[in-house]
Amino acid sequence: MSSVSEALLSRRGPLVVAGGVFGAILLSSLANALIAVLAHVLGAPDDFDPLEPSSYIFLTTLGVLGGTVGWAVVRRFSRDPERLLRRLVPSVVVVSFVPDFFQFDDGEVTGVVALLLMHVAVAVIAVPTYRRVMPLSSVR
């Protein structure tokens, strides 16, 4: 493939990127809503704030937007973005678990497990979206 056709394949307009990111936020929020409902059905406390829509939708939006910025930075500056992201994405997800472990008193095991699953759900939805709208095969 020529460098011109590779460049055309790897560049997306800002509306495509914004639409993809918005779609990832929407789908991630819906997945997290399902996780929250199931957590409550399975016994998570009703008054556990992180399982309230206002909390998880806001934090999901921040997570997807933060991931978007991180992906763009790695894509732009890394010599081997694919390799770096293969290590970075799981590491960031695991680090994002840390605050959840301080929620055991309020959320009990069911609530905390739901929060952990929410982080994974967001990554599972956002990463393929980033791949589609911000491909890593960009020509510098």
Side-chain angles (χ1 to χ4, degrees):
M1 184 180 305
S2 75
S3 63
V4 171
S5 60
E6 187 176 324
L8 290 175
L9 288 174
S10 66
R11 291 190 181 160
R12 304 285 193 262
L15 290 178
V16 172
V17 174
V21 170
F22 178 75
I25 291 168
L26 183 63
L27 288 174
S28 296
S29 295
L30 289 171
N32 286 344
L34 178 61
I35 292 168
V37 167
L38 289 173
H40 286 300
V41 167
L42 294 172
D46 290 332
D47 62 346
F48 186 45
D49 287 339
L51 294 182
E52 293 297 318
S54 59
S55 292
Y56 64 76
I57 291 172
F58 174 72
L59 293 171
T60 296
T61 300
L62 285 181
V64 172
L65 292 175
T68 302
V69 170
W71 189 275
V73 167
V74 168
R75 180 177 182 251
R76 171 73 175 97
F77 294 108
S78 176
R79 288 186 178 174
D80 190 354
E82 183 75 37
R83 182 172 180 241
L84 178 57
L85 287 166
R86 239 182 283 128
R87 293 180 177 169
L88 189 60
V89 169
S91 299
V92 169
V93 172
V94 169
V95 168
S96 76
F97 291 165
V98 171
D100 297 341
F101 290 117
F102 294 101
Q103 301 286 330
F104 275 111
D105 288 342
D106 297 329
E108 302 171 3
V109 172
T110 307
V112 171
V113 168
L115 295 179
L116 300 176
L117 290 173
M118 287 177 165
H119 292 267
V120 173
V122 171
V124 164
I125 292 166
V127 169
T129 301
Y130 302 149
R131 284 191 179 283
R132 238 175 277 120
V133 301
M134 295 183 292
L136 297 176
S137 61
S138 65
V139 174
R140 293 181 225 281

